[in-house]
């Protein structure tokens, strides 16, 4: 359904990109020619060490652990709308920016 919506309305892909959720489409041998569309995120994650996962499970009683966001990636996120507006503001009133 996501694939159909994304290919039928190109603006939808742009909206996801602007929200830092890029859409990618690929095919999997398991599903043959069926296109699989995934919603991504512009930052990477990492799984903590086994020791930390075990320690967390012992403390919380939960047998699951979420991945941890790489803080460095957050700093590299860009905002095209913000950058474009700043560019326009610098061109029109550089003394204010």
């Amino acid at each position: 359904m996501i694939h159909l919506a994304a290919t039928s309305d190109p603006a939808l892909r742009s909206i996801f990109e602007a929200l830092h959720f890029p859409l990618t489409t690929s095919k999997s041998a398991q599903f043959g020619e069926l296109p699989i569309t995934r919603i991504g995120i512009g930052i990477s994650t990492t799984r903590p060490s086994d020791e930390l996962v075990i320690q967390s499970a012992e403390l919380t009683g939960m047998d699951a652990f979420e991945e941890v966001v790489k803080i460095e990636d957050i700093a590299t996120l860009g905002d095209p709308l913000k950058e474009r507006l700043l560019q326009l503001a610098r061109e029109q009133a550089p003394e204010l920016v």
Side-chain angles (χ1 to χ4, degrees), residues 9-63:
D9 186 0
L12 183 62
R13 187 173 293 274
S14 298
I15 291 169
F16 274 94
E17 293 285 339
L19 294 171
H20 302 286
F21 294 112
L23 298 177
T24 58
T25 301
S26 61
K27 294 182 180 171
S28 169
Q30 181 179 2
F31 297 110
E33 291 299 308
L34 180 68
I36 307 296
T37 299
R38 295 179 174 96
I39 301 173
I41 187 163
I43 56 175
S44 56
T45 60
T46 186
R47 184 184 173 278
S49 66
D50 289 341
E51 295 81 28
L52 184 59
V53 172
I54 291 169
Q55 184 180 19
S56 174
E58 289 173 351
L59 289 172
T60 64
M62 294 178 55
D63 62 350

Side-chain angles (χ1 to χ4, degrees), residues 16-22 40-45 69-83 86:
F16 274 94
E17 293 285 339
L19 294 171
H20 302 286
F21 294 112
I41 187 163
I43 56 175
S44 56
T45 60
V69 170
K70 290 189 177 179
I71 298 296
E72 311 85 57
D73 289 356
I74 294 173
T76 64
L77 284 176
D79 185 345
L81 176 61
K82 175 184 173 184
E83 295 304 318
L86 283 172

